[in-house]
Amino acid sequence: MSTVIEQPVEARLVAAAPRMPNIPATLRYDLNDPFAVRMTFPAPATLEGEEVCWTFSRELLATGLHSPRGDGDVRVRPYGYDRTVLEFHAPEGTAVVHVRSGELRRFLEATRALVPDGLEHTHLDLDHDLAELMRDAC
């Protein structure tokens, strides 16, 4: 069984222009980091021309489908019948994208098949992580 789930999604960039361009993005969930989700935007879709990856909690994504969540760099909220808004805040500015809620739900279902909600901690190797911290502290 794979320990990584990747799903391409189509994000719609909210901009000042009347037509919101569609941009590709990839959602990624890795068993080695069971609390986190990554959303990656390819280089051609970013202002800097470099791939951009945002990491945030799986719980934030799941709860943001139903009501506004997040008060930090990443915020998620429902929008209309089948859209979810993700806001990414950085010193350079804010990017706001719409993603179909159904795509996000399918991704979350796949992650829950790999690691059910509430059991993320059972997939952590705390002894290894502590050893790495101690090694880096020396």
Side-chain angles (χ1 to χ4, degrees):
M1 179 162 85
S2 177
T3 62
V4 174
I5 296 168
E6 282 193 353
Q7 178 179 318
V9 295
E10 185 176 283
R12 180 164 281 185
L13 181 64
V14 178
R19 173 79 176 119
M20 297 186 294
N22 291 333
I23 55 173
T26 302
L27 290 168
R28 180 182 171 91
Y29 182 79
D30 189 334
L31 187 62
N32 292 321
D33 194 0
F35 289 99
V37 167
R38 287 175 180 73
M39 189 168 195
T40 304
F41 298 93
T46 68
L47 293 175
E48 298 81 19
E50 296 179 12
E51 182 178 272
V52 173
C53 182
W54 287 86
T55 303
F56 48 97
S57 78
R58 176 171 72 163
E59 181 182 13
L60 173 66
L61 184 60
T63 57
L65 284 169
H66 306 289
S67 61
R69 291 292 187 263
D71 55 10
D73 293 343
V74 180
R75 300 172 192 174
V76 183
R77 69 179 184 275
Y79 181 78
Y81 174 69
D82 191 39
R83 295 273 179 191
T84 299
V85 175
L86 291 95
E87 294 181 17
F88 301 99
H89 297 261
E92 301 81 19
T94 301
V96 179
V97 297
H98 290 185
V99 178
R100 287 188 177 94
S101 300
E103 290 184 291
L104 299 176
R105 281 192 288 275
R106 279 190 297 281
F107 173 74
L108 288 167
E109 287 170 12
T111 70
R112 289 178 183 129
L114 187 60
V115 179
D117 289 340
L119 295 180
E120 295 90 350
H121 68 283
T122 64
H123 295 277
L124 296 176
D125 186 352
L126 296 178
D127 291 333
H128 175 265
D129 294 344
L130 182 58
E132 287 291 312
L133 284 173
M134 297 302 289
R135 181 183 58 89
D136 291 343
C138 295

